[in-house]
Amino acid sequence: MRNWLFGGVYGTVLASALLAALQSEGTVYTPFYDAAWILVTAATAALAHGYAHHMSTHTPGSGAHRWRQLARTLRGEWPVVVASLPTVLLLLLAGWAGWTEAPVTTAGLTVNAGLLMGWGAFAALRVGYRRGSALLIGGADAAIGLLIAVANAIIK
C-alpha cells in the first residue's frame, strides 16, 4: 500500500510539473508529443527510483537472486506510471479533438490538484485522521498542485 500511495503522489506531481513545463509558448502545440514525453518520463522516473532503491538495499546473495530482487523492486514502481495516465489521456484527447493548449493545461493541472487532494485525504484517513481533518490535509496537498500552476504562470 505504501508504494502505491507514494507512486500515486509522485506520478501526479511529476505529470503536473511536466504539463506546466511543456507549454509551447508561441510554437506549435503538440499534445501527442507532450503525452509521450510525460509517459516516457514517468516510466524513466519509476525505473530510476526502483533501481536506486534496489542499489541502496543490497543483500548478500547470488547474481540470480539480485536480479530477482531488482525485478521485484521495479514491479513495485508501476503506480508512478499509472498516476501520470490521467494527464496523458487528457493530452491524447486534446490532440484527437483539436483542443487548444491553455484550457487543456488548466484542466490537467486542476484535475491533478484534485487527485493530490484525494491522495492526501486518503492517506490521512488511512492513518486515523477524522474526515474533516483529512480533507484539510488533502487541501494542503492540493495546494502543491496549485503552486505548480502558479509557478508556471509566473515563469512564463
Side-chain angles (χ1 to χ4, degrees):
M1 177 65 87
R2 185 176 174 170
N3 276 351
W4 185 73
L5 185 59
F6 169 83
V9 171
Y10 188 88
T12 304
V13 170
L14 179 66
S16 295
L18 289 169
L19 181 63
L22 288 171
Q23 280 192 304
S24 63
E25 291 300 313
T27 61
V28 176
Y29 178 45
T30 56
F32 295 117
Y33 173 82
D34 293 353
W37 186 258
I38 290 172
L39 190 59
V40 167
T41 302
T44 302
L47 290 171
H49 180 264
Y51 183 68
H53 182 72
H54 171 72
M55 292 298 292
S56 68
T57 59
H58 274 307
T59 57
S62 69
H65 175 71
R66 288 178 59 167
W67 284 107
R68 281 192 305 275
Q69 283 180 316
L70 175 60
R72 190 176 317 115
T73 301
L74 292 178
R75 274 194 309 269
E77 297 297 325
W78 65 268
V80 174
V81 177
V82 171
S84 73
L85 291 181
T87 305
V88 169
L89 293 175
L90 177 65
L91 288 167
L92 292 175
L93 280 171
W96 289 320
W99 297 338
T100 58
E101 182 176 25
V104 171
T105 300
T106 300
L109 293 174
T110 302
V111 166
N112 287 345
L115 289 171
L116 288 171
M117 181 173 184
W119 287 119
F122 173 75
L125 287 169
R126 192 170 153 255
V127 297
Y129 283 92
R130 293 183 186 268
R131 198 173 292 153
S133 297
L135 289 174
L136 287 174
I137 291 168
D141 291 333
I144 293 169
L146 296 175
L147 281 174
I148 291 169
V150 169
N152 177 54
I154 291 170
I155 291 170
K156 306 270 177 163

